[in-house]
Amino acid sequence: MKLPSPLACAIAFVSVAAAVQLVHPGAAPEPPAGAIPDDRIDDRVVGVVTGPVIRAAHGFGAELDNRVWVWSPVAIESGDAIAATGRLRTPRGMLDPGAQPRPDRGDWELSANRVEQLGDGGSRGAIWRWANRTQARWAAQIDDAVGDRTDPGGAALRGIVTGDRGDVPPTLDARWRATGIFHALSVSGLHLAVVAGLAFALLRRIAAASPWGGRIRPARWAAPPALVLAIAYTLITGAQVATVRALVVVAVALVAQMLDRPVRLVDAIGVAAIGLVAVHPSDVLDPSFQLSFTAALALALRPRIAPASTRGRRALQWLVRGSTTSAWVAIATAPITAYHFHQVAAGGVIGNLVLTPILELVALPAGLVGIAIGGKLGAAILVGAAWCVGRVDALAGVLGHAMPLGHIAVASPIAMAVLAAIGLWLASRTTRGRLDVIGWLALCVVWGIARQPPALGALRVTFLDVGQGDAAMIELPDGNAWLVDAGGLPSRGDLATAAAPGVAVTRALEATGHGAVELAIVSHPHPDHYLGFAALGVPIGELWTADESALDPEIKAARPSALPSFAAIASATGAVVAHPLLGPVKAEAGAELIVWAPRYRERDGGLEREAADPVRSVNDNSLVVELRYAGRRILFTGDIEAEGEAALVAAGLGHVDVVKVAHHGSPTSSSPSFTAATRPALAVISCGVANSFGFPSPAVVQRWQAVGADVRRTDRDGAVAITIAPTGEMSIATYAP
């Protein structure tokens, strides 16, 4: 009986692990003693840093021995015993269509506002402390040699050689992503394979040239020290998933050399997959794991060809095979990048063929040699390596303009897996025939249905999970998309972080097949509703806001201005800004928009118009709209409070099917008269997990439930999607696991 290969076992094992992780991620772990996660009170968590420490723009990150991932504002080291004070949270990310997976960093996450050093944690973390200090020393050598820490070539060289990407400029990051060589910025599996391969080759030559070379097998004696060097390099560079995968493959190959046993690359990859997933099952959902194994399999499964007879033909053969192999790697990994990052780097075919070898076979070895030699000669070699990286960056800029990054989304993990499997199968084919035609057709069909649009003829409204803010995506039966607010995190200091909900909105639009927003509505100029527009990655046709012409200019000028104003962000979108009239204002594909508020009458007896009333608050001057389709009514209330709600009831607003609860469930809204007048079947509250305001108020939830509403909350349910069929049938879906 023939036993299945390690590769077949690995595929089955990883598939089962992935299914289990998706369907049943596991029981919720117990938080550290005395800490209460997801509340509004600071927790003090004590632990020992037992793993690698990473440096990022917003601090130092590390995992403690109690599975709490800490972001520290001050430098920490492996082996340190610390007490971190901040709010302990469940690191769930935003639960939306197309949401970017959260990095697997502990069971809990704490952004510390204060860190106390409690001394040495003992032997725990001692190896990682040595590794982190060695990484810091290597990075300092590169900085000293280059002389300018902000030099792009030096910053990228630090990432390539040491794994420290803390100072890599965002512009360089974008260029390398567009050309498919971003993996070279961190210590990837290819890095380790190059380092281990060069070390093994050098040690084997030394052993062969020694006085005992004729009496020993050089490969057997070279393998153990090469393996030790590979393990040390993996630790020094942070033991990323791709590097650990490569280490297992390298270890299998080197052990085979010690035992004089042949080993196939695909079998080594299978052993690595089984080992890593057995130790850490959630790795199967990590994009780095998926990309590294898929790329390695694409390389390993490519059929071998006999070398050509002449040197010229061999060179041409190498070029053709390199190009086709790079293309197959791109085809196999494209669905993974499209699922996790909504990006496909067409330039990666050329980038990996031309630029990656320069980085891996020239810059990386030169950087390591320069560090090992030290002194003036080592510094000169490091300067040369940084110059080489700078030239690669310049070429990446040219290639990126010629073949820009494509924004393509795959919404389903099943579609991603099927596309990657078909790509790998096609790459492994030795002959071409009818089966290949069927495979290519299947590839095209699955790519075509990889997004998640609403059912044919249906209207879908998705109240997105954007933290403590509001954003709702409206998908019309004709394929167009409207947007009501885009969220925002005004408590964050910088615009990039404060506008992060806009990235979540963009991903949701892309995952559902929308490359543009026909109409965007901003309920009112509070940053938790408009800052997300600063990071929205799709064009906007028209932008509606409430008419504020009746307001005193001094009142508008007195609004908080630490972050860009709504007017500045609205102008930056390039959209046509307009103020709608009261009443029915837009009809499309069977859907109708009605504007209910704000209402302003300049003088007694005058006509009401849609405009902000100077005597009302910004919240009560929210632009309130109602969406009607197939006999159903959905109300978007902005942040109106009791006074604004009373005005709506007085204007004749009655029963609706769905209400976006005003002001995130604040007790100043959802008055008894308003809940009684609207009597919705569904009330959706958009609020952040453990938000500092304590929203939603329990009394508010009870008031909506008292009138028969099913209350859904984005902090608990993730995004809430309502689909209305042409017959008027309404269904509800949520995105929490």
Side-chain angles (χ1 to χ4, degrees):
M1 174 180 169
K2 185 178 179 181
L3 294 175
S5 71
L7 177 60
C9 293
I11 292 173
F13 188 72
V14 169
S15 300
V16 171
V20 171
Q21 286 293 315
L22 286 170
V23 176
H24 183 66
E30 289 294 325
I36 302 175
D38 302 330
D39 64 355
R40 293 181 292 136
I41 301 172
D42 278 355
D43 299 288
R44 186 174 183 270
V45 175
V46 177
V48 177
V49 180
T50 54
V53 177
I54 65 171
R55 186 172 65 90
H58 52 285
F60 297 82
E63 188 173 329
L64 304 183
D65 56 354
N66 50 17
R67 290 286 293 165
V68 174
W69 181 273
V70 170
W71 284 110
S72 169
V74 298
I76 53 177
E77 280 192 329
S78 296
D80 285 353
I82 65 171
T85 302
R87 290 183 184 171
L88 190 67
R89 296 180 181 274
T90 306
R92 72 173 180 81
M94 294 179 181
L95 306 178
D96 292 310
Q100 194 163 12
R102 182 193 67 83
D104 186 12
R105 293 173 175 165
D107 296 325
W108 312 100
E109 187 172 37
L110 186 146
S111 293
N113 50 51
R114 186 173 72 256
V115 172
E116 305 167 54
Q117 295 285 349
L118 303 181
D120 192 340
S123 60
R124 291 179 294 174
I127 293 178
W128 284 115
R129 172 172 290 180
W130 166 83
N132 289 156
R133 288 180 176 177
T134 303
Q135 182 193 57
R137 187 169 63 252
W138 287 8
Q141 283 185 252
I142 295 174
D143 291 339
D144 292 341
V146 176
D148 181 5
R149 191 176 181 87
T150 62
D151 175 72
L157 184 65
R158 278 200 308 279
I160 292 168
V161 176
T162 73
D164 179 1
R165 298 193 299 120
D167 293 314
V168 172
T171 50
L172 184 146
D173 185 292
R175 287 191 293 271
W176 288 32
R177 284 185 186 275
T179 50
I181 61 172
F182 173 75
H183 58 86
L185 273 178
S186 57
V187 179
S188 64
L190 184 57
H191 277 53
L192 186 68
V194 169
V195 170
L198 291 176
F200 176 70
L202 178 62
L203 290 167
R204 185 172 59 182
R205 285 184 177 273
I206 293 173
S210 71
W212 305 278
R215 300 193 298 270
I216 63 172
R217 290 185 60 85
R220 177 179 292 178
W221 287 91
L227 180 56
V228 171
L229 288 173
I231 293 171
Y233 189 63
T234 300
L235 294 172
I236 291 168
T237 55
Q240 302 300 312
V241 172
T243 320
V244 174
R245 183 267 306 165
L247 177 62
V248 178
V249 174
V250 166
V252 171
L254 291 176
V255 170
Q257 289 289 336
M258 296 180 209
L259 302 176
D260 291 328
R261 293 288 187 271
V263 62
R264 295 192 310 163
L265 178 58
V266 291
D267 290 338
I269 293 171
V271 170
I274 293 172
L276 290 177
V277 174
V279 173
H280 202 190
S282 63
D283 275 351
V284 296
L285 305 181
D286 186 284
S288 177
F289 178 95
Q290 296 168 2
L291 284 168
S292 63
F293 270 97
T294 303
L297 282 174
L299 292 170
L301 292 173
R302 290 287 289 140
R304 296 182 178 275
I305 57 175
S309 57
T310 66
R311 182 178 297 179
R313 289 183 177 179
R314 283 197 297 271
L316 179 61
Q317 186 183 63
W318 175 87
L319 180 62
V320 171
R321 183 168 176 79
S323 301
T324 55
T325 300
S326 181
W328 281 116
V329 171
I331 290 170
T333 57
I336 300 173
T337 60
Y339 174 71
H340 290 287
F341 312 114
H342 292 192
Q343 296 176 345
V344 172
V349 176
I350 299 176
N352 281 307
L353 181 67
V354 178
L355 302 181
T356 298
I358 300 174
L359 297 171
E360 301 288 355
L361 301 178
V362 179
L364 173 61
L368 290 171
V369 169
I371 289 170
I373 293 176
K376 292 183 178 180
L377 178 58
I381 295 174
L382 289 172
V383 169
W387 178 88
C388 180
V389 173
R391 302 293 68 75
V392 168
D393 181 42
L395 291 172
V398 174
L399 182 58
H401 281 295
M403 303 183 73
L405 197 66
H407 292 276
I408 303 173
V410 168
S412 163
I414 296 175
M416 176 196 71
V418 170
L419 286 168
I422 295 174
L424 288 172
W425 177 76
L426 287 170
S428 69
R429 298 278 291 165
T430 56
T431 58
R432 302 300 172 192
R434 293 180 181 178
L435 282 177
D436 298 270
V437 174
I438 295 172
W440 279 107
L441 289 174
L443 200 68
C444 295
V445 168
V446 179
W447 269 108
I449 61 174
R451 298 186 182 185
Q452 294 179 333
L456 187 65
L459 178 141
R460 184 166 62 189
V461 176
T462 306
F463 297 94
L464 297 169
D465 173 20
V466 291
Q468 186 57 29
D470 268 11
M473 177 177 65
I474 302 170
E475 300 172 82
L476 300 174
D478 63 0
N480 280 332
W482 297 345
L483 188 63
V484 181
D485 292 326
L489 302 172
S491 61
R492 309 299 171 87
D494 61 293
L495 179 59
T497 309
V503 177
V505 175
T506 302
R507 291 182 63 87
L509 288 164
E510 291 173 343
T512 51
H514 304 288
V517 171
E518 182 193 24
L519 169 66
I521 300 171
V522 176
S523 61
H524 62 296
H526 275 171
D528 57 331
H529 292 251
Y530 75 74
L531 279 177
F533 284 102
L536 196 68
V538 299
I540 300 173
E542 192 174 8
L543 183 65
W544 286 2
T545 71
D547 182 357
E548 293 190 334
S549 58
L551 297 185
D552 187 331
E554 292 185 3
I555 295 177
K556 291 190 284 185
R559 290 174 182 167
S561 57
L563 290 164
S565 66
F566 167 67
I569 288 180
S571 176
T573 64
V576 176
V577 179
H579 309 302
L581 302 174
L582 288 175
V585 289
K586 190 175 180 67
E588 182 178 337
E592 186 179 25
L593 268 183
I594 295 92
V595 173
W596 280 95
R599 294 171 175 267
Y600 175 58
R601 183 180 282 111
E602 192 167 357
R603 59 183 180 275
D604 291 342
L607 293 176
E608 272 192 328
R609 62 186 178 93
E610 184 277 296
D613 190 327
V615 302
R616 288 184 180 157
S617 67
V618 177
N619 284 347
D620 276 324
N621 278 320
S622 292
L623 182 59
V624 178
V625 298
E626 179 190 335
L627 175 66
R628 296 178 181 175
Y629 181 72
R632 298 288 188 174
R633 305 170 68 180
I634 301 176
L635 186 68
F636 302 86
T637 59
D639 276 0
I640 57 170
E641 299 179 290
E643 184 179 358
E645 291 175 341
L648 285 175
V649 174
L653 178 68
H655 167 68
V656 296
D657 296 282
V658 180
V659 166
K660 195 290 297 182
V661 174
H663 204 184
H664 322 290
S666 164
T668 59
S669 304
S670 302
S671 58
S673 60
F674 185 71
T675 56
T678 53
R679 306 183 317 281
L682 175 67
V684 180
I685 302 174
S686 182
C687 60
V689 176
N691 62 84
S692 59
F693 306 99
F695 296 160
S697 164
V700 166
V701 174
Q702 291 172 4
R703 283 201 289 270
W704 287 109
Q705 290 174 335
V707 297
D710 176 12
V711 177
R712 302 294 177 98
R713 301 165 42 170
T714 60
D715 61 333
R716 293 182 179 176
D717 300 309
V720 180
I722 296 97
T723 302
I724 302 174
T727 59
E729 182 181 357
M730 188 171 75
S731 59
I732 303 167
T734 57
Y735 282 78

